[in-house]
Amino acid sequence: MGEMEQLRKEAESLKDEITAARKAVQDLTLQDHVAGTAVVGRVQLKTRKTLRGHLSKIYAVHWGDSKLCVSASQDGKLIVWDSYTTNKVHAIPLKSSWVMTCSYAPSGNMVACGGLDNMCSIYNLKGKDGNVKVMRELAAHTGYLSCCRFLNDNEIITSSGDCTCVLWDIETGSQKTVFAGHLGDCMSLGVAPDFNTFISGACDFTAKLWDIRDGQCRQTFGGHESDINAIGFFPNGNAVITGSDDASCKLYDLRSDQELITYQDSGIMCGVTSLAPSLSGRLILAGYDDFNCNIWDSLKAERVGVLSGHDNRVSCIGVTPDGMACCTGSWDSFLKIWN
Amino acid sequence: MTINTLSQDGVQRQQMSCLTKMERMVISMQDPDMGIKLRNQRLLITVIPHAMTGADIVEWLIKKCSISDEEALHIGQIFVKYGYIYPLKEPRNLILKVDDSPYRFQMPYYWMSTRWPASELDYAIYLAKKNIRKQGELIEYEKECYNALHKRINHTWDFVVMQAREQLRASKQRRKADRIVLKCQEQAYWLVNRPPPGTLDSIDHGPERRTMNTRYLLKRTLTITLCEGLTRLCVCVCSYVKYCEQYQPHDPIMQGCLPSIPWITDDIMFWNMNCETVAVPTKLRVERWSFSFMELLNDPMGRKEFLTYLKKEFSAENLCFWQACEDVRHGETSKIPEKVDEVYKQFLTPGASRWVNIDSKTMEKTLEGLKRPHRFVLDDAQMHIYFLMKKDSYPRYLKSDLYKNLFARAIVPQETKKSVFPFMRRQRHSSPSPALATQAAEDDGKAKNSNSFKSNSGTASRR
């Protein structure tokens, strides 16, 4: 078909144009510029609290505020912890034990979880009689739920193994926007600090930036050589950090539409499962399959610390909103708070 | 633009995104300075204002998008096919001719994105109007549709006829030129949405050709936006370095915090001193408000202080409007219409008690959108007021006495030492990373130590 051939050629030339445009703004290497920045030095964090209570692998953890966090484990429980006192505020039994993600609403009123049941279940923590009940079950995905994040008490974004991300209206339980475009399972997502856009990382080795309002994919970032498992925004909202099974993390700048830095070390050969930046963005904490977390200096791309203490893979990591501490969850069923 | 829920045709959604891109182009075409030159066209004996020739359209497309003749013609054709531009001379023939045949822009009321799918009731009214105006004016297929509709929606037929008569009466009171224009617009809309049998249906989901056309247009507009927007790397990199340096004192993992990190000393003073309703804030907190406007707005105490300042300047309604818009954006869907109505009454009606100063273009667009309220209908107005505050009130607030006094009153908490254990809290960054054996690294480390010692002694003497 003549038209298809023409379109293909057009697409190729467009790709070349994009590469040329990206090259055109490369007027400086990152190494030159950050050479003058002060060195971070060794960062040593110690375990301050260990949260015990789960009976099986922990798959996800998410902070609600500086003390409360929610964790999901494949023993079929969602536990809301007051991590400072190590008390369990809520222990929510789940209908399906194959949970893969959990999220705390910014208001603190709700938590959500989902997994192999292809549904996102929303629980209301501030029910009238004090019991925690299922508020909504958002079912429409045709693949497993890999990640979910609240925008506010009415909207939640989910990413799924069916290669799409969806924005839901919680009140009506309906899909408001479907973000389709990935060619592989969407593994994780992160919402921008201004709540206008979000990013998703997928098994097609790319990360995409989506506009929440009009459902468009604004930018696509490639460069990884394997599935992207973890993704997050740099605190100023202008960059995206991704972690992949190819044992590296990359920082992509949104305004110049290209990869700036890769965080990798020849000694690390296992995949990244999760990552979180510190409050200033200077440190990136990344959890790996080799039971450790590495702390990277985000500007100089050097490893400045290690968090070791888990007896199995680190599956999830999160930094508190006030930047005070970080929490790691592992397949050894423990959560550790580090500072 | 309302967002349709997922129906059985996902292609509808794909087309929607292409339509928005098309509409953006159409709007830029109508730009008084940079758009297509419009002039009066003579149609038989009447003069139609704001019309353009087919040649004009193609020429503008060639210039704006730097494309070839054929491509411009092709893109122009698509605009005509989807009803954004309609021909005046031969309205039934929806093609673009590169000569001086007159064309006009379809008004946004009739755009595909706003009035799609076309409702049966509207079509019935249109056909009824045609029928009443001149008996026998309906063509064969229109007659069939008319009869079919009459059967289907018989229960509301009185309403249909009444509406048709009313609309005809109202149109008689217009000038002839306006009447012709409106008639052409309506006719063009219905030719696109209810095409006569045998012609190619432009909103048909089926043929691959259709989606290929729209994909093609999509790719072109993608290139245009991409090449306009990349920032130089040095600017980007500088911003990261600056951000990290600015926020480092606020990053407890890197630099600790005062009075102490609760996780280490089991003392929750830090959280108590920084909660929302504390009487005197900490210096770090007040300093953070000066980093960016968003920081100020994100802190409830900062917002309160800013509101006090704005009240003195008699522009408090700006912040109230911004907050009301945020409430609409993040609140319950069912409450959106009533909230939007409240906002309109309080802030947007001329003569309202808390009227906000928005430019006429944005105001017009917002008022138009209010007819169909949705979550993002107030976004443009909100953005306008946000930037107004950011560029004007915010810098002045940072220089004002109110802010400076607050900063002076703000406290630097005294460091609490854990009394039980004999050793002090371990210093951070005391030894450089073993990987860096250079002298420069060691010097840096020493400098940091002496800095932290200085700040400690500072707090001790303050009390």
Side-chain angles (χ1 to χ4, degrees), chain A residues 14 169 171 196 216 253 278 280, chain B residues 17 223 240 251 329 333-334:
Chain A
L14 263 174
D169 179 326
E171 217 181 329
N196 285 333
Q216 293 299 306
D253 179 70
S278 72
S280 64
Chain B
S17 57
T223 335
Y240 295 125
D251 189 346
R329 273 184 74 170
T333 318
S334 54

Side-chain angles (χ1 to χ4, degrees), chain B residues 7-285:
Chain B
S7 49
Q8 63 271 30
D9 26 345
V11 188
Q12 181 184 338
R13 182 178 316 287
Q14 252 184 354
Q15 292 210 322
M16 266 309 199
S17 57
C18 300
L19 291 175
T20 19
K21 288 199 157 67
M22 285 174 79
E23 281 165 15
R24 251 186 261 150
M25 271 213 107
V26 170
I27 291 173
S28 66
M29 274 189 208
Q30 293 180 48
D31 187 326
D33 302 309
M34 301 292 291
I36 305 181
K37 291 249 171 330
L38 303 173
R39 40 175 173 261
N40 296 345
Q41 290 278 347
R42 206 161 259 287
L43 185 70
L44 301 177
I45 47 170
T46 29
V47 174
I48 312 281
H50 306 308
M52 57 205 164
T53 63
D56 280 357
I57 301 175
V58 174
E59 192 190 280
W60 187 88
L61 279 170
I62 293 176
K63 240 198 309 193
K64 168 88 178 180
C65 311
S66 318
I67 47 181
S68 65
D69 290 25
E70 304 162 313
E71 206 174 306
L73 182 61
H74 191 204
I75 294 183
Q77 289 279 29
I78 296 176
F79 281 119
V80 176
K81 278 225 166 65
Y82 276 76
Y84 290 98
I85 297 176
Y86 61 93
L88 287 169
K89 247 198 209 145
E90 284 172 63
R92 289 198 184 283
N93 206 1
L94 285 179
I95 55 169
L96 180 68
K97 286 195 226 156
V98 193
D99 51 4
D100 59 346
S101 17
Y103 290 84
R104 271 187 115 250
F105 287 111
Q106 180 64 285
M107 55 185 212
Y109 181 70
Y110 281 129
W111 278 359
M112 286 283 265
S113 58
T114 45
R115 310 274 295 169
W116 183 42
S119 85
E120 287 208 309
L121 198 63
D122 285 353
Y123 193 45
I125 295 173
Y126 169 69
L127 289 176
K129 263 200 296 189
K130 258 192 145 182
N131 207 13
I132 296 170
R133 198 168 22 210
K134 191 168 164 195
Q135 281 288 356
E137 197 176 57
L138 290 178
I139 344 174
E140 204 48 60
Y141 82 95
E142 284 180 350
K143 272 201 201 126
E144 283 172 30
C145 291
Y146 184 77
N147 292 335
L149 277 169
H150 185 89
K151 254 189 241 158
R152 242 196 329 258
I153 51 174
N154 206 357
H155 48 282
T156 52
W157 203 252
D158 289 354
F159 172 76
V160 166
V161 172
M162 187 187 74
Q163 270 288 325
R165 286 218 177 93
E166 196 53 33
Q167 285 182 16
L168 279 173
R169 195 183 60 80
S171 73
K172 277 204 175 79
Q173 297 175 347
R174 294 213 175 91
R175 281 172 36 236
K176 184 151 188 222
D178 288 353
R179 229 185 305 148
I180 296 184
V181 157
L182 286 169
K183 182 161 154 274
C184 288
Q185 279 174 343
E186 208 183 8
Q187 186 179 46
Y189 172 71
W190 288 113
L191 278 171
V192 171
N193 281 281
R194 292 279 187 274
T199 56
L200 202 55
D201 187 356
S202 42
I203 46 176
D204 187 15
H205 303 317
E208 194 192 12
R209 169 186 292 265
R210 208 50 53 201
T211 46
M212 286 217 301
N213 278 338
T214 45
R215 261 217 308 276
Y216 193 81
L217 197 69
L218 174 71
K219 281 191 157 69
R220 276 270 47 122
T221 44
L222 255 183
T223 335
I224 294 166
T225 45
L226 180 68
C227 290
E228 282 171 0
L230 298 190
T231 318
R232 287 183 304 134
L233 265 193
C234 67
V235 172
C236 302
V237 169
C238 276
S239 72
Y240 295 125
V241 176
K242 182 162 169 264
Y243 187 90
C244 289
E245 280 172 8
Q246 199 178 41
Y247 278 83
Q248 186 152 317
H250 299 261
D251 189 346
I253 293 182
M254 288 202 61
Q255 216 160 284
C257 71
L258 299 171
S260 64
I261 296 192
W263 299 97
I264 301 179
T265 57
D266 284 334
D267 167 37
I268 58 170
M269 272 281 274
F270 176 81
W271 286 324
N272 288 343
M273 292 179 112
N274 280 297
C275 71
E276 236 174 80
T277 52
V278 74
V280 186
T282 58
K283 264 206 166 42
L284 273 181
R285 186 176 180 177

